[in-house]
Amino acid sequence: MQVRVLDTTLRDGEQTPGVSLTPEEKLRIALKIDDLGADIIEAGSAITSEGEREGIRKITSEGLNAEICSFARAVRDDIDAALSCDVDSVHLVVPTSDLHLEHKLRKTREEVLEQAVDCTEYAVDHGLLVELSAEDSTRSDMEFLRRVFSEGIAAGAERICACDTVGMLTPERSYEFYGELSELGAPLSVHCHNDFGLAVANSLAGLRAGASEVHATINGIGERAGNAALEEVVVALKSLYDVDTNINIEMLYETSRMVARMTGVYLQPNKAIVGENAFAHESGIHADGVLKKAETYEPITPEMVGHRRRFVMGKHIGTHALRQRLDELGMKVDEDKLMEIFRRVKALGDMGKCVTDVDLQAIAEDVLGVMEDKVVDLEEVTIVSGNRVTPTASVKLKVDGNEVLEAGIGVGPVDAAIVAIKKSLEDFADITLEEYHVDAITGGTDALIDVVIKLRHGDRIISARSTQPDIIMASVEAFLSGVNRLLASEASEDQQVVR
Ligand code: MN
């Protein structure tokens, strides 16, 4: 058995509050979803606007593998609009619950049934494939619902779809409901919303009961709490039910990231399959288990969905696990340096930060570089900065055993600190800063800041780095670490370059 996937990221997904895509953005997402392998792409609702039609036309003119579909209400204008975009099919939606008929449409059941049949015939006559869809079907009278579908199929609808528009199904009820509708003689689609967090479970139950197509969106975006998440449905089908789709699941993570970026709807870290923490392990028992055998704490491998595994170290880490991790990263450290790395990782943990492998590597490299015998040692640094003061720094250094106190001003706080340090060293060594480079490793304003500098003393040039959450401290430490290396290398008369 194989399940067909209708991706409605560009229609139901775009109805996410605050999301609006330009025609070009729609096209880029459609190209990605076509690569991903969706059988049907619901590209939008052609009646909406000229921009929407432009977006749909861009998509239909690409000759994609997927069937390109437009949403349409059961009115001829909507179908004409879809026809003007050259789509393959329409997702023709009629409300079927009395609630929607009375309060939204103010029409009788008979009137709606007539519209559904008329528009199905009209669309089919104009060469469109019709997927006839019942809105709020799960709160509709079952007998009326069956009649709408039966007469729609007789009028030429090739597929039918029952929408759980406000997410009221439970998995048990979904199984029963879709099971009953799957006997009507046309391929049946499940369309579930996530108001109770059950969209994926309800979709799976409906598919299990006999539906053969699922409507879903990337990242589960959509109105209110969203739609069934495509990545979750597809991976659950494959891994838990042994049911295939045409989706290339190793593209799920990159597709998710692209849709998040383009819609501006970012994911919670613990989102299943594609969240940033979906394959992250805090060091300790779990990380240990995963290192020995991934299946211990991972139901699927991250590679399977194009994601990556991360180990995160925080305040729970022990020295044993830390040493093991450093060993695995190929870093040999003695006991003193291990304890210094341990102290820094814990300190970051206490500040509420986590330490990834990349961070750990930077910290370890920093410690391995800094822990030489120091000619210059920092005792104090104080910065004053703001919009109505001249950035000023005062530093107290121990230079070759002597205490030196200096102050400096600069264009900004980092510059002021470096000026003050250079002044403190003036009488001791003539050191110039050749290059300064700063990078935020992990993104976000609380990221670790990586500072790399190049210093010159005479004809010697050396690089040094420091990694810290505070940009000023990172700059000061990188500078002092460079100075110490430069002076140490001078003493030993052999030039060394350390990252
Ligand atoms: Mn919907």
Side-chain angles (χ1 to χ4, degrees), residues 344 359 361-367 369-370 436-441 448-453 463-482 498-499:
R344 292 203 195 183
D359 299 332
Q361 218 154 351
I363 290 170
E365 280 173 8
D366 192 30
V367 168
V370 162
Y436 174 85
H437 179 81
V438 61
D439 203 9
I441 296 183
L448 281 179
I449 302 295
D450 192 32
V451 174
V452 179
I453 58 162
S463 304
R465 89 191 295 172
S466 177
T467 307
Q468 309 238 359
D470 180 321
I471 189 169
I472 293 161
M473 288 314 299
S475 305
V476 167
E477 285 215 358
F479 192 88
L480 291 179
S481 144
V498 178
R499 277 186 74 228

Side-chain angles (χ1 to χ4, degrees), residues 126-141:
H126 288 78
L128 291 168
L129 186 154
V130 173
E131 177 160 331
L132 180 63
S133 199
E135 185 182 17
D136 204 23
S137 67
T138 51
R139 292 190 296 185
S140 303
D141 174 65

Side-chain angles (χ1 to χ4, degrees), residues 173-193:
R173 170 118 174 75
S174 179
Y175 187 84
E176 207 178 296
F177 176 74
Y178 284 105
E180 202 173 327
L181 297 176
S182 69
E183 284 157 19
L184 289 172
L188 172 68
S189 303
V190 292
H191 181 112
C192 295
H193 277 269

